[in-house]
Amino acid sequence: MILFKKEHQLQYYLNTLRLNKKSIGLIPTMGALHEGHLSLIRKAKEENDCVVCSVFVNPTQFNNDADLEKYPRTEANDIELLTSIGTDIIFMPSVEEVYPKELNTTLGLDFGELATTMEGEFRPGHFDGMAQVVNRFLNMVQPHSLYMGQKDFQQITIVRNMLIQLGSEVRLVMCPILRQDNGLAMSSRNVRLTPENRALAVKVSQTLSAAKNLIDKKTPKEIEEWAMQELNIPKFRPEYFSIVDGITLQLIEDFGKTNSAVACTAVWAGDVRLIDNMILKS
Ligand code: AMP
């Protein structure tokens, strides 16, 4: 394992690999790593000569300072975990390294309705910041393949759109959601759940699974309404439960008229915001 903090040092190293025709896989993360993140690294290791995992809590994708402040940071543990599974390179740049004053890193792409529904409605500007940082890491690392999780379904859909708009040849690999035994989707934010809310949070994945079993019996709208009620338990507050087309992310009116349907939800469990999704039809 080699740890880099500076872009130019990382690039110097990666250029040599590229000259030797080695393939490079990139996994961008915000740290506080768990098995879900590690599953992306393992997948990338199967498919690449060199795996780069970046750990960077990106300030431009947070809507408020308090959320950024509260984001868990576990650098030493992240390095230990990444080393234990044989990650080739860890890239941990500072904010100044990612956003140097002299460099204009704003992307200025329009993601249209992909970025205004669901997370976009509740976290305005979030996806512009996310796309900005992913693009910046793509420029710094210049990988052949990029590994991202289905856990953030809207995010990966927007990154796919970004790659198309940029005419990028980077291969985007979507990795499945890793869950705890009880179904709770693994997330860096789970460490902030109270024990009581952690136990109750299983309701999120249970509701998604139940929604999947209802697609032959109810309309998308009926399922959405039912799910919002199911998730409305004490100390929990569902923000949305939307059944959308897996490509356009627009609400579906009739399961018969689409080939791909995904249920996406965001729920506040106390002061922790959880997101999860399930592919209902693909
Ligand atoms: P984050 O550090 O939360 O920005 O996540 C970094 C990457 O890990 C993103 O592509 C996420 O979609 C992915 N990821 C997060 N949680 C999981 C999970 N439970 N299973 C699989 N991938 C995940």
Side-chain angles (χ1 to χ4, degrees):
M1 186 283 287
I2 312 176
L3 171 67
F4 288 103
K5 296 202 167 192
K6 298 282 178 199
E7 176 185 358
H8 71 274
Q9 288 170 346
L10 172 76
Q11 285 185 343
Y12 185 77
Y13 183 88
L14 291 178
N15 282 343
T16 314
L17 291 185
R18 249 182 251 107
L19 282 174
N20 289 311
K21 303 260 180 287
K22 303 287 186 200
S23 60
I24 300 167
L26 169 66
I27 304 96
T29 79
M30 297 210 298
L33 301 180
H34 50 69
E35 274 299 318
H37 295 112
L38 300 190
S39 70
L40 272 58
I41 315 263
R42 290 197 178 96
K43 174 79 175 157
K45 272 177 69 69
E46 280 168 27
E47 299 183 349
N48 296 275
D49 298 312
C50 175
V51 170
V52 181
C53 177
S54 61
V55 176
F56 177 67
V57 182
N58 176 35
T60 70
Q61 71 188 69
F62 284 82
N63 307 81
N64 64 67
D65 291 347
D67 195 23
L68 173 61
E69 197 72 15
K70 278 189 293 185
Y71 201 82
R73 286 168 171 84
T74 58
E75 258 190 30
N77 192 52
D78 292 346
I79 295 174
E80 202 176 307
L81 278 177
L82 290 171
T83 308
S84 74
I85 64 158
T87 311
D88 301 291
I89 294 177
I90 305 174
F91 183 36
M92 282 185 166
S94 64
V95 174
E96 295 71 33
E97 192 71 14
V98 176
Y99 301 119
K101 285 199 177 64
E102 62 280 8
L103 190 70
N104 181 4
T105 57
T106 37
L107 201 51
L109 295 180
D110 183 0
F111 300 112
E113 293 184 332
L114 290 180
T116 53
T117 59
M118 302 191 288
E119 291 299 287
E121 189 183 334
F122 291 93
R123 303 184 67 189
H126 164 70
F127 287 122
D128 289 331
M130 180 282 296
Q132 175 188 30
V133 81
V134 173
N135 181 54
R136 180 78 180 104
F137 276 95
L138 287 175
N139 287 334
M140 290 193 281
V141 178
Q142 295 174 38
H144 300 89
S145 304
L146 172 66
Y147 295 81
M148 300 188 83
Q150 180 203 320
K151 166 76 170 40
D152 299 274
F153 191 81
Q154 190 170 8
Q155 167 173 285
I156 195 169
T157 304
I158 289 172
V159 168
R160 190 180 298 118
N161 183 280
M162 176 183 86
L163 294 175
I164 293 169
Q165 290 198 50
L166 295 173
S168 167
E169 285 179 4
V170 172
R171 190 173 69 103
L172 178 62
V173 182
M174 182 165 89
C175 302
I177 305 175
L178 240 77
R179 299 178 180 281
Q180 294 179 357
D181 289 345
N182 66 5
L184 175 65
M186 291 184 185
S187 164
S188 304
R189 293 173 195 260
N190 290 355
V191 293
R192 295 188 43 245
L193 289 166
T194 62
E196 189 195 350
N197 285 350
R198 197 183 178 92
L200 288 171
V202 64
K203 185 84 184 169
V204 178
S205 60
Q206 283 173 349
T207 306
L208 286 164
S209 298
K212 188 167 183 166
N213 290 329
L214 285 172
I215 67 171
D216 294 327
K217 303 180 193 93
K218 289 181 184 287
T219 65
K221 193 162 192 295
E222 284 167 348
I223 298 175
E224 285 163 359
E225 285 169 2
W226 168 82
M228 286 297 277
Q229 278 172 16
E230 282 294 292
L231 293 168
N232 200 4
I233 50 179
K235 300 203 177 117
F236 278 51
R237 184 169 59 82
E239 272 185 341
Y240 64 83
F241 189 103
S242 302
I243 298 179
V244 298
D245 180 281
I247 310 290
T248 64
L249 300 185
Q250 298 309 298
L251 288 173
I252 286 171
E253 283 174 17
D254 180 348
F255 284 115
K257 289 190 183 149
T258 179
N259 294 323
S260 136
V262 186
C264 302
T265 187
V267 182
W268 283 96
D271 67 346
V272 183
R273 191 169 182 277
L274 304 173
I275 61 166
D276 199 354
N277 67 80
M278 198 165 282
I279 296 173
L280 306 183
K281 184 176 171 185
S282 68

